[in-house]
Amino acid sequence: MAIAKLATTVLDCPEPRELAAFYATLLGGELDDDGAGDWVEIVGAGSHVLAFQRSEGYQPPSWPGTEHPQQFHLDLDVPRAEWDAAERRALELGATLLESDHGTRDWRVYADPAGHPFCLCAVDEPRRP
């Protein structure tokens, strides 16, 4: 039996509202701001909450280096037929392509506007929750 249920993933960043808007466009959902701009959540984009908190002195990860390690990354599933269009849209929104193998793997690595690595993963069927 599980001890707990994963409820929220929180990303540190210098500008929570800007980074939340980036992910809300990628994942869907609306922004729920604490009013001070120090904590912003995406609501309505599924059962898992993705939140963003202001971190003074934030240092973006240096992927793939370890000077400022990534500590974790997000894998975002995209239907295979929409993969290239999803990549174009992510780049338009401010993502940076970090690694692509030109079609030999089912994922590509990007950095979000605050520097956190994430992957767009091509899937034939959505993963089960």
Side-chain angles (χ1 to χ4, degrees):
M1 180 166 130
I3 295 170
K5 176 184 174 190
L6 181 62
T8 305
T9 299
V10 182
L11 294 162
D12 288 349
C13 59
E15 297 295 333
R17 182 165 264 288
E18 290 176 17
L19 193 57
F22 170 82
Y23 280 103
T25 302
L26 282 179
L27 303 171
E30 301 293 323
L31 303 186
D32 183 11
D33 194 326
D34 69 356
D38 292 330
W39 181 275
V40 181
E41 296 179 356
I42 298 174
V43 296
S47 61
H48 188 82
V49 175
L50 189 57
F52 307 86
Q53 70 180 0
R54 183 176 313 281
S55 174
E56 299 301 327
Y58 170 77
Q59 294 288 322
S62 57
W63 190 92
T66 58
E67 182 178 339
H68 298 285
Q70 69 174 331
Q71 299 180 3
F72 77 96
H73 71 270
L74 300 173
D75 283 347
L76 307 177
D77 288 350
V78 176
R80 188 173 306 279
E82 299 171 22
W83 198 20
D84 289 333
E87 176 180 75
R88 282 190 299 277
R89 187 66 178 125
L91 295 172
E92 289 169 1
L93 292 169
T96 302
L97 181 64
L98 297 177
E99 181 181 292
S100 175
D101 66 346
H102 307 291
T104 61
R105 293 188 311 224
D106 290 336
W107 70 90
R108 298 173 189 155
V109 184
Y110 306 83
D112 68 23
H116 302 102
F118 71 94
C119 295
L120 291 180
C121 304
V123 296
D124 296 316
E125 295 182 25
R127 296 179 208 206
R128 296 178 62 190

